[in-house]
Amino acid sequence: MENQETIIIVGGLSAGPSAAAKARRMNENARILLFEKTDYISYATCGIPYAFSNTIKQREKLLVIKPALLENRFAVEMHLNEPVLDILPDQHLVVTPEGNYTYDKLIFATGARPFVPEIPNLVEASNWSNVRNQADFDKIYDHLSEMKDIVILGGGLIGVESAENLCKAGKNVTLVELAPTILATWDEKFGHLAGEALRAGGVEVITGVGVSEAVVEDGRLIAVKVGDKIIKADYLMTAVGGRPNTEILKDKGADTIGNGALVVNSRMETSLPDIYAAGDNVSIKNIINNEAGYFPMGTHSNKGGRVAGANAAGGNEQFPGAYGTAIVKVFDYTMARTGFNEHALEQRNIPFKSTLIIAASTPGFYPDPKDLFVELFYEPQSGRLLGAEVFGEKGADKRIDVLATAIYAKLTVQDLPNLDLAYAPPFSPAKDPVVVAGYTASNTMKFAHEEISPRDLVQYLETVDSTSYQLLDVRNPVELQQQGQIPEAINIPLDQLRDRIEELDAEKTQLIYCQKGLRGYLASMILVNNGFTKVKNMQGGFLLYSKSALPIVPVSVQG
């Protein structure tokens, strides 16, 4: 066919097939070729952990798109088991072991390869792998019945999901994470909550240390050294992140960010003419602050592939960016995040305030109410939402999607109470946790009291002259007796505070806490309205404090 354009796609995981299908929908006459170095395409990497427990019962379910579908329905020429060895942008040429191919447009969708830390003796063993692709899954699953003790290195999304599902499959699972908490892209307090849930489910969790040595006998791993412990292991899985596969284009002068991911614009164009890129090998703009971000998620691979395919076929579509929304199941709990959290904001020197609430996901009168931990991060002056994190047994997914949408729309915390959210007792209280978080943040901006996190409170107590503050516990005496309290706190129950306010010194900073935060807020407002000007309420109350591995002393209540 005269003037037939040739579009070559390199990579067949998620972005590549997405690009191929969209390119064909946009241009019926183009010649479209897809090169993949393995014999399978479009497998569900994120579904692998759930197949370990037979939640996903058939291997074939992980193969989302079969090569024949792209061939027959979308007229894509499939080149499986044909790795691309080189790309010559000046000649518009792709080099493989089978020959050279010319292109008009090229879409580079090579994804990322797993990072494997150097562990002495590990290369001598056969019974270990990553948890990254279909070959890894087959190696693990085919021998799963022979395994009893499994060690997972890496407490990120895949590591945590694998740990849960292998535990459900009856294995003894140890999860090792070098960071202080698992799921380290979340705030540390949320990492503690997730770690507690993982331990309660039966997984041994070791943080703050890595695997320093593999113990190998006759070519098989029998144990790993973790700190001063020797942990028995029939198998080791590594899940410590990936590195973008971009060397071919990087060597040709393509712009990249620090980790090697390709820089693309909103049309998914690289800095090299007629070459697009999408997937885990690209950097995507963070729409909150317009920096070059890296978000290796299947959602973005599919979106980016779609846009790259459309534009390579003559379209003009845009992928404006992302902002780090993620979610993970930890046994009966769900943890989710979107945008920037405290660490990310501090790292970028972005001014912010935070609000953390604990609210029920359903009304108190409805059976089996569950707590939701919701933390918001926002601009101090405007209240514009910058990020959020959520943890709980029910409804975390719904709330994080609302908050992710709010970030995209540039809403403020003052806007959140105005959202018309769905209400019925099985799903939400009349004041949804998102609404309550918005009210709380708005009140903090308006009134003369501040919020302080449990860890910041401990640091405050350790570094500030104790004669300059009073630590006030407004819970009831029976709560203290049952749960203990923070060292050196004085107890004035909330309902007695007005009558006993003279026991407090208005010249001193008042550090207040209750069980979950609400009574602490009410106590703060009583003090503020009585002329106290230095008032701080501890976020999440004693419940969050106690789950953060911070000092607690027992209390004996007389009478």
Side-chain angles (χ1 to χ4, degrees), residues 52 126-128 138-151 166 169-172 220-222 232-237:
F52 294 149
S126 60
N127 51 329
W128 73 276
D138 289 341
K139 182 177 181 180
I140 297 166
Y141 195 77
D142 288 348
H143 300 281
L144 195 58
S145 62
E146 305 163 17
M147 303 176 198
K148 181 180 179 183
D149 301 294
I150 299 174
V151 174
L166 288 166
K171 309 304 177 183
N172 299 324
R220 290 192 62 80
L221 179 77
I222 61 169
K232 185 179 178 183
D234 300 319
Y235 203 91
L236 173 68
M237 299 180 190

Side-chain angles (χ1 to χ4, degrees), residues 47-62 137 141-142 144-145 161-162 164-171:
I48 287 175
Y50 298 96
F52 294 149
S53 61
N54 279 329
T55 300
I56 297 172
K57 298 185 184 302
Q58 297 175 321
R59 176 187 185 277
E60 290 69 27
K61 293 289 186 181
L62 296 173
F137 170 74
Y141 195 77
D142 288 348
L144 195 58
S145 62
E161 291 166 335
S162 296
E164 175 187 336
N165 284 278
L166 288 166
C167 188
K168 288 181 175 178
K171 309 304 177 183

Side-chain angles (χ1 to χ4, degrees), residues 204-264:
E204 182 180 358
V205 180
I206 302 174
T207 58
V209 65
V211 172
S212 58
E213 186 179 347
V215 181
V216 180
E217 288 185 2
D218 299 325
R220 290 192 62 80
L221 179 77
I222 61 169
V224 293
K225 186 176 182 181
V226 179
D228 59 359
K229 296 181 179 179
I230 299 294
I231 299 172
K232 185 179 178 183
D234 300 319
Y235 203 91
L236 173 68
M237 299 180 190
T238 62
V240 289
R243 298 291 182 269
N245 291 316
T246 58
E247 286 77 8
I248 289 177
L249 293 187
K250 187 177 179 181
D251 290 345
K252 304 302 185 301
D255 293 340
T256 62
I257 62 172
N259 71 344
L262 295 165
V263 174
V264 294

Side-chain angles (χ1 to χ4, degrees), residues 309-547:
N311 293 334
N316 185 27
E317 298 201 11
Q318 310 279 325
F319 181 22
Y323 39 99
T325 303
I327 190 167
V328 62
K329 180 180 179 294
V330 190
F331 287 99
D332 293 334
Y333 292 85
T334 302
M335 193 156 80
R337 65 181 302 273
T338 185
F340 290 135
N341 62 11
E342 180 177 350
H343 175 72
L345 291 163
E346 289 177 344
Q347 194 176 46
R348 291 162 176 78
N349 294 314
I350 298 175
F352 71 96
K353 280 188 172 183
S354 70
T355 285
L356 187 147
I357 63 140
I358 301 174
S361 60
T362 53
F365 59 79
Y366 192 80
D368 200 24
K370 301 295 184 183
D371 283 334
L372 269 181
F373 294 72
V374 180
E375 185 163 23
L376 307 180
F377 304 93
Y378 50 95
E379 290 180 346
Q381 302 302 319
S382 69
R384 178 193 168 195
L385 191 63
L386 300 172
E389 296 186 341
V390 182
F391 176 87
E393 290 184 77
K394 184 177 181 181
D397 52 346
K398 168 182 173 176
R399 276 73 187 198
I400 207 65
D401 282 342
V402 170
L403 293 166
T405 304
I407 289 176
Y408 185 83
K410 295 182 170 56
L411 298 187
T412 67
V413 294
Q414 298 95 322
D415 290 319
L416 297 181
N418 298 325
L419 297 177
D420 188 5
L421 303 178
Y423 164 65
F427 307 104
S428 172
K431 289 183 180 177
D432 189 88
V434 169
V435 171
V436 173
Y439 278 136
T440 304
S442 300
N443 288 338
T444 299
M445 293 181 68
K446 289 178 194 175
F447 301 115
H449 76 279
E450 301 176 23
E451 294 182 66
I452 186 169
S453 72
R455 290 197 174 275
D456 286 344
L457 174 67
V458 170
Q459 185 177 19
Y460 187 100
L461 298 178
E462 291 174 346
T463 57
V464 175
D465 181 2
S466 61
T467 63
S468 68
Y469 65 80
Q470 291 176 299
L471 178 60
L472 176 62
D473 185 334
V474 297
R475 294 176 299 157
N476 295 321
V478 66
E479 294 174 275
L480 278 66
Q481 189 174 24
Q482 292 171 347
Q483 302 170 11
Q485 68 174 171
I486 301 174
E488 307 302 326
I490 59 175
N491 176 229
I492 303 178
L494 174 63
D495 294 343
Q496 300 176 20
L497 183 57
R498 291 183 181 87
D499 295 332
R500 297 175 58 185
I501 201 167
E502 71 281 352
E503 297 177 30
L504 302 177
D505 187 344
E507 298 300 317
K508 295 183 178 182
T509 299
Q510 300 298 318
L511 305 169
I512 305 173
Y513 70 93
C514 63
Q515 180 63 13
K516 296 181 181 180
L518 175 58
R519 283 176 289 171
Y521 163 68
L522 297 175
S524 298
M525 295 307 298
I526 290 172
L527 296 188
V528 167
N529 286 315
N530 277 274
F532 287 72
T533 58
K534 295 175 286 186
V535 180
K536 298 177 186 289
N537 181 31
M538 187 174 72
Q539 296 174 336
F542 191 78
L543 178 59
L544 182 60
Y545 180 96
S546 65
K547 291 179 177 292

Side-chain angles (χ1 to χ4, degrees), residues 168-223:
K168 288 181 175 178
K171 309 304 177 183
N172 299 324
V173 182
T174 301
L175 181 69
V176 181
E177 169 56 50
L178 187 60
T181 61
I182 63 169
L183 298 166
T185 54
W186 274 261
D187 187 83
E188 193 170 299
K189 68 176 79 71
F190 283 85
H192 278 293
L193 293 170
E196 185 180 77
L198 207 56
R199 290 184 181 96
V203 177
E204 182 180 358
V205 180
I206 302 174
T207 58
V209 65
V211 172
S212 58
E213 186 179 347
V215 181
V216 180
E217 288 185 2
D218 299 325
R220 290 192 62 80
L221 179 77
I222 61 169

